[in-house]
Amino acid sequence: MKLSSGITADANRINTLRSYLNFKARVHISDGRTFIGTFVCVDKQKNIILAQAEEFRQDEKRLVGLIMIPGAHLVKVEVEDLDIM
C-alpha cells in the first residue's frame, strides 16, 4: 500500500517538529511580545507549549514558567541551532 505525497509530507513535518523537542525556542506573537523557553509540545491547532519561559515586551522581561501560546497568535517561531562537535 502506497502513501500519498500529502501523508508523507505531513509525516516529514511531524518528524521535523519532534527533532526540536527540548530545544530552546523563541516565539513571536501578534501583539508584539516574544517568549523564549524550552519547546515542549505542539498540537494540531499549532498551539505551542514552552517550559521555563520568559516573556519580553519592549524593555520588560518576566518569568512566566510553563505557557501555552495559541496558534492563532503565532507570527514567527525560531529554534536554537546547536552545533555539536
Side-chain angles (χ1 to χ4, degrees):
M1 182 173 172
K2 267 188 159 177
L3 296 176
S4 73
S5 62
I7 294 173
T8 303
D10 286 345
N12 288 337
R13 290 183 191 121
I14 290 167
N15 286 334
T16 299
L17 283 173
R18 283 184 181 156
S19 72
Y20 298 146
L21 288 176
N22 299 314
F23 277 56
K24 186 169 273 194
R26 179 180 296 124
V27 179
H28 302 271
I29 63 172
S30 56
D31 68 1
R33 290 182 290 169
T34 300
F35 295 92
I36 298 176
T38 304
F39 176 63
V40 177
C41 181
V42 65
D43 63 12
K44 289 181 182 180
Q45 291 79 32
K46 300 178 189 166
N47 300 317
I48 291 180
I49 296 180
L50 297 179
Q52 301 167 344
E54 296 177 312
E55 174 190 27
F56 296 87
R57 180 192 310 234
Q58 296 170 352
D59 294 335
E60 298 176 28
K61 170 185 166 182
R62 71 179 183 129
L63 180 65
V64 292
L66 188 65
I67 186 170
M68 190 277 292
I69 303 166
H73 297 287
L74 296 178
V75 172
K76 183 178 181 182
V77 179
E78 302 170 287
V79 178
E80 184 177 78
D81 184 21
L82 299 175
D83 290 328
I84 300 173
M85 294 185 191

